[in-house]
Amino acid sequence: MSSVVCQRQSLMFRARSYMAFAFTPQPPIVDWLKDLDAALERSKGFFADRPVALDLSAVQLSPSAITHLIANLEERNIRVLGIEGSAGIEGQARLPPLLRNGRGTQSFELPKPSSAAAAPAVVNPPPPPKPQPTSLLIEEPVRSGQSVVFIEGDITVLGSVGSGAEIVAGGSIHVYGALRGRAIAGAAGNPRARIFCHRVEAELLAIDCYYKTVDDIDDSLRRRPAQIWLEGGTVKISAMN
Amino acid sequence: MAQVLVVTSGKGGVGKTTSTAALGAALARGGDKVVVVDFDVGLRNLDLVLGAERRVVFDLINVIHGVAKLPQALIRDKRLENLFLLPASQTRDKDALTDDGVANVIAELRRKFDWIICDSPAGIERGATLAMRHADAAIIVTNPEVSSVRDSDRIIGLLDSKTAKAERGERVEKHLLITRYHPGRAARGEMLSIDDVLEILSTPLLGIIPESEEVLRASNVGTPVTLNNALSAPARAYFDAARRLKGEEIPMLVPSESRGIFNKLFGRKAA
């Protein structure tokens, strides 16, 4: 009997944000498609190789209607990579994934045919970002099924993080209650991020892109205050009292 | 002022319908005008627990679709003249519920009743979200076991985000009702303790309903447990919970094992 020595390699997961064009269809869709055609008339194929997200917050569409709309856009050489603002489409395998927390930049006009031919893809650069807060404070418990994502910095939770809840921070994570769900610190690629919690019962602990699951946590450390950090590509955990 | 309560849990089979009927009857016996509304369209049960299944003519969906007027669909309880049932439809599904329709029905019920108790279906889909949509307060029914507790945690999150009150920036008042509590099994560590449940859900406790054959016995004869045997342990726990809902301060008794044995002996002697 042979046994395969399986060196557990930590999988790498990194979050990254990109720019995409957001289309916001307005009811009635038929008229909106006509307007789109009129705009595309001037620069055909402009969106052919560009990422487009569909913001459905202005319309109420069933999954099948969304599929139909996406097919209509594909006929126009527009490929939809994600959907925004339409709750309840999660789990619909045929639809693109749901996007959240999109931030608007300025809108732009389609380039005129002449300029489009001469200088393709000159999109206005995003405006210089305003200084943003680097920490997020949550005073309530984070409940099962809720997901708190703050790529810009640290997250502090005063309550507990329930089983099945998820905290994703670009910086460190501080939980002053029990941490029962998933905590992902340093999600934007910060190996110096740490996780601190008053009571560790977590389902998953990750820093940068290295993770530990509940089975990897030593019994002697569970249900105690703990600190989790990254050292040489390994997630380390130690008690804090 | 009318209070709209939703009885919800996420998980099925934890005792939402039993609790809706028991609390509705307890409040009605106290003299308040109460309607219990079955939101479990397609899988209705509340009519059976109240023993009104043969008197259902029109239902919630008929009212929403304008087929019937609200007073035509309301069924008055045979035992308590100020307890009413608005049944769900058994032949339709949750898609037949419309946002506006539910809003109109709840608004009309608010004018007629002191308490509107909405019995939510299990799950977190359309039926459950519409049942909680207009609630002023929620009763989260939880069994002391991990899957039920986690589902309740999920529901509490939804109550804080998907209700009309939450969207107005207000808070839905939340009460935790622990049902099917078995003191012996909790003592042996086969069940979560009350403290564990409260610690995980950090929600104020409305009552602890002990596991009891009385509950099944009452539902089999189509009577809320609070009317069938008002002196039984679960009925007394429901009566206390109803009084707490009305704002009374009642000390919380955690059912203990010795008490359970005493009740069993007592029950046998009486039978």
Side-chain angles (χ1 to χ4, degrees):
Chain A
M1 197 174 138
S2 70
S3 67
V4 181
V5 180
C6 182
Q7 186 69 40
R8 190 172 191 145
Q9 280 291 327
S10 293
L11 272 175
M12 306 277 279
F13 291 111
R14 277 185 199 280
R16 196 169 289 179
S17 58
Y18 296 93
M19 298 285 283
F21 293 97
F23 280 29
T24 313
Q26 304 289 337
I29 298 280
V30 182
D31 292 350
W32 179 81
L33 281 172
K34 276 187 195 142
D35 291 347
L36 179 66
D37 284 337
L40 288 177
E41 199 51 44
R42 287 183 281 156
S43 36
K44 272 200 167 65
F46 181 80
F47 290 105
D49 295 313
R50 291 190 165 83
V52 168
L54 208 48
D55 178 357
L56 296 177
S57 52
V59 287
Q60 286 216 325
L61 297 178
S62 65
S64 62
I66 298 174
T67 312
H68 187 68
L69 175 60
I70 290 172
N72 267 302
L73 290 172
E74 270 169 6
E75 282 171 15
R76 292 164 173 81
N77 267 328
I78 296 167
R79 282 184 298 170
V80 175
L81 77 94
I83 293 178
E84 193 184 0
S86 175
I89 66 152
E90 293 98 331
Q92 297 276 346
R94 288 171 298 117
L95 292 178
L98 196 60
L99 302 172
R100 289 188 184 83
N101 306 317
R103 275 191 302 275
T105 59
Q106 68 206 66
S107 54
F108 71 100
E109 290 260 305
L110 279 182
K112 296 279 181 283
S114 55
S115 63
V122 182
V123 182
N124 291 334
K130 287 185 215 136
Q132 288 189 337
T134 55
S135 68
L136 175 69
L137 175 70
I138 294 167
E139 295 183 55
E140 302 286 306
V142 182
R143 303 288 182 178
S144 182
Q146 292 178 334
S147 173
V148 177
V149 181
F150 187 71
I151 296 300
E152 292 79 4
D154 291 8
I155 298 179
T156 307
V157 183
L158 295 188
S160 294
V161 177
S163 163
E166 185 178 67
I167 307 284
V168 183
S172 297
I173 295 172
H174 311 260
V175 181
Y176 287 89
L179 172 55
R180 301 192 176 89
R182 300 152 69 99
I184 298 155
N190 174 9
R192 288 181 51 77
R194 293 190 177 195
I195 300 168
F196 305 88
C197 61
H198 187 62
R199 187 177 152 112
V200 60
E201 293 174 50
E203 289 160 351
L204 181 112
L205 296 163
I207 293 176
D208 194 1
C209 36
Y210 301 91
Y211 72 88
K212 242 183 174 36
T213 59
V214 63
D215 291 342
D216 306 325
I217 302 174
D218 195 81
D219 277 343
S220 64
L221 292 167
R222 284 188 212 181
R223 294 164 182 265
R224 294 177 62 184
Q227 170 179 205
I228 295 100
W229 74 98
L230 195 61
E231 197 176 289
T234 319
V235 176
K236 300 267 189 185
I237 173 164
S238 75
M240 283 207 298
N241 61 354
Chain B
M1 215 184 93
Q3 272 272 324
V4 179
L5 295 176
V6 59
V7 179
T8 184
S9 69
K11 194 173 183 298
V14 295
K16 285 182 294 298
T17 303
T18 302
S19 299
T20 303
L23 288 171
L27 287 166
R29 238 176 74 150
D32 290 348
K33 205 172 172 198
V34 180
V35 61
V36 289
V37 187
D38 195 346
F39 269 84
D40 205 347
V41 181
L43 290 167
R44 73 174 183 210
N45 277 154
L46 193 52
D47 55 329
L48 290 170
V49 176
L50 285 168
E53 70 276 14
R54 293 195 203 127
R55 296 196 287 142
V56 176
V57 181
F58 295 111
D59 56 48
L60 175 62
I61 300 300
N62 295 143
V63 177
I64 283 176
H65 291 179
V67 176
K69 295 256 184 288
L70 183 60
Q72 291 177 292
L74 288 171
I75 301 170
R76 186 192 287 264
D77 188 80
K78 279 188 170 162
R79 296 145 297 214
L80 290 169
E81 61 167 15
N82 45 356
L83 176 63
F84 289 79
L85 164 70
L86 181 54
S89 168
Q90 183 70 358
T91 52
R92 307 293 296 271
D93 61 38
K94 272 97 180 163
D95 293 336
L97 292 166
T98 63
D99 295 12
D100 291 345
V102 171
N104 292 339
V105 168
I106 298 288
E108 199 176 338
L109 290 172
R110 271 183 197 275
R111 291 194 288 272
K112 293 175 193 277
F113 292 93
D114 300 317
W115 297 92
I116 297 121
I117 310 180
C118 305
D119 183 21
S120 170
I124 54 171
E125 287 80 21
R126 188 170 178 77
T129 48
L130 276 175
M132 67 170 70
R133 178 92 198 136
H134 303 280
D136 300 313
I139 296 170
I140 298 120
V141 181
T142 302
N143 292 165
E145 48 104 11
V146 283
S147 57
S148 173
V149 170
R150 185 163 76 180
D151 290 359
S152 293
D153 197 39
R154 178 93 164 95
I155 280 289
I156 295 169
L158 294 179
L159 286 165
D160 285 333
S161 61
K162 294 243 169 139
T163 50
K165 260 196 152 183
E167 284 170 11
R168 291 196 301 267
E170 297 166 39
R171 292 184 67 86
V172 173
E173 199 183 316
K174 291 180 279 287
H175 306 280
L176 188 65
L177 187 67
I178 298 178
T179 55
R180 311 197 68 166
Y181 180 74
H182 194 292
R185 287 173 60 195
R188 291 194 295 275
E190 295 165 13
M191 247 181 191
L192 291 177
S193 71
I194 300 291
D195 287 343
D196 287 341
V197 178
L198 291 179
E199 209 267 312
I200 295 173
L201 294 178
S202 47
T203 299
L205 188 59
L206 180 71
I208 305 163
I209 313 298
E211 170 90 64
S212 165
E213 290 170 8
E214 283 295 334
V215 174
L216 187 62
R217 201 172 296 147
S219 90
N220 280 341
V221 295
T223 309
V225 65
T226 39
L227 295 186
N228 196 46
N229 181 358
L231 294 176
S232 64
R236 284 201 313 256
Y238 276 119
F239 274 116
D240 283 353
R243 288 167 68 189
R244 288 186 195 105
L245 272 179
K246 296 184 73 171
E248 284 184 50
E249 294 269 336
I250 312 244
M252 186 76 64
L253 292 176
V254 177
S256 65
E257 190 163 28
S258 59
R259 182 69 172 274
I261 287 168
F262 176 76
N263 279 351
K264 263 185 212 155
L265 292 173
F266 194 74
R268 233 175 254 150
K269 225 185 249 174

